[in-house]
Amino acid sequence: MKRRDFIVTMGAVAAMPRLGRTRKLDRIGLETYAVRREMAKDPDKTLAAIRAIGYTDVELLWSFNLFGRTPQQVATTLKNEGLRAPSCHMSGETIFVGWERSLEIAKLLGHEYLFVPDFGEWTTKTLDNWRQWADRFNAAGAVARKAGIWLGFHNEANHQKPVEGKVPLDVFIERLDPSVTRLQLDVGNMLIGGGDPMQYIQKYPDRFWSFHLKDVVADRSSDARLGTGIFDFKRFLAAVPNVEQKPCYVEDESPADELAAARANWQYLHNLEF
């Protein structure tokens, strides 16, 4: 074999997927709602405990006023503990008042994404309401992109409930401009609402850039500790394009012992190969 042909052949082999190769999540995040009682008691101590468990990322809650801490105080604690906060959850009204100031706060905290988890119920009664929200998102998202931030949306269970014969989340996604907005998929919320996370990943492979990893009980009535419910995380994570580039957060919403649950959920994901 000529040297040139050999190099070409070896290059082709190197580009082929490795049979039997498995992956693991290099970074595992925790949505601070999962430890909200602990955060309310002592946010700095709780963030330190989260890092000690092994989490590398947290998702902050602007909607909880950062548990009484200023953005600068939180940024200092994150730096001291070696944590990063790729995103937060915030009220939809944030995009209407002081939006540019919010984007500056996002930069201070190291956010790449600002996610809105829901809208006021009275503003989502019709599909036209959802379309109007999407239009507002597109406008605010364009401003955010100029600041290097992404505006995004996070699904709740009721977003699967049909309005005027259609799933409102689908109508909303179709109306959004993907060049200035992104999405966060909460697999547990979607399952509880009757949706299929795998179908959404297959239908919109380039739209979801962050995930809430939440298991659910057999009847889909509530969430469950990771690995104890019905969701196939191995299959799901293997199907997410470039999952290593997309923040993934644990969110066990109602454990009796928040930090013990956070520890068990981290261990499950840390050991998971897909």
Side-chain angles (χ1 to χ4, degrees), residues 7-130:
I7 292 173
V8 171
T9 299
M10 291 306 294
V13 170
M16 292 174 60
R18 296 180 186 177
L19 295 177
R21 183 181 181 183
T22 59
R23 294 180 292 163
K24 297 178 71 174
L25 287 178
D26 293 329
R27 303 189 68 92
I28 301 173
L30 183 71
E31 160 56 68
T32 50
Y33 187 79
V35 287
R36 59 194 179 278
R37 295 192 299 274
E38 295 297 325
M39 288 289 290
K41 288 188 290 186
D42 191 330
D44 290 352
K45 181 180 178 180
T46 303
L47 288 174
I50 290 168
R51 184 68 186 102
I53 289 170
Y55 288 99
T56 56
D57 302 349
V58 289
E59 185 167 61
L60 301 180
L61 288 172
W62 288 18
S63 50
F64 278 50
N65 195 32
L66 295 175
F67 295 96
R69 305 290 278 169
T70 68
Q72 184 59 63
Q73 288 173 324
V74 175
T76 298
T77 301
L78 293 174
K79 181 179 180 180
N80 290 343
E81 299 302 334
L83 283 166
R84 72 172 190 173
S87 60
C88 77
H89 274 201
M90 65 179 195
S91 166
E93 285 73 15
T94 308
I95 68 174
F96 299 117
V97 180
W99 184 220
E100 289 79 4
R101 170 59 181 154
S102 292
L103 295 172
E104 290 300 319
I105 293 172
K107 291 180 184 179
L108 172 66
L109 292 167
H111 294 335
E112 301 169 54
Y113 301 96
L114 300 177
F115 290 114
V116 173
D118 204 1
F119 306 124
E121 184 179 355
W122 68 275
T123 70
T124 55
K125 294 290 188 181
T126 69
L127 291 181
D128 279 343
N129 288 157
W130 281 92

Side-chain angles (χ1 to χ4, degrees), residues 180-212:
V180 295
T181 62
R182 287 183 171 177
L183 299 165
Q184 181 179 68
L185 178 56
D186 186 313
V187 298
N189 286 353
M190 183 164 284
L191 290 166
I192 291 171
D196 183 348
M198 287 298 300
Q199 287 185 0
Y200 275 79
I201 283 294
Q202 291 162 359
K203 185 176 181 181
Y204 305 107
D206 301 320
R207 304 297 295 276
F208 292 99
W209 286 80
S210 178
F211 301 90
H212 276 197

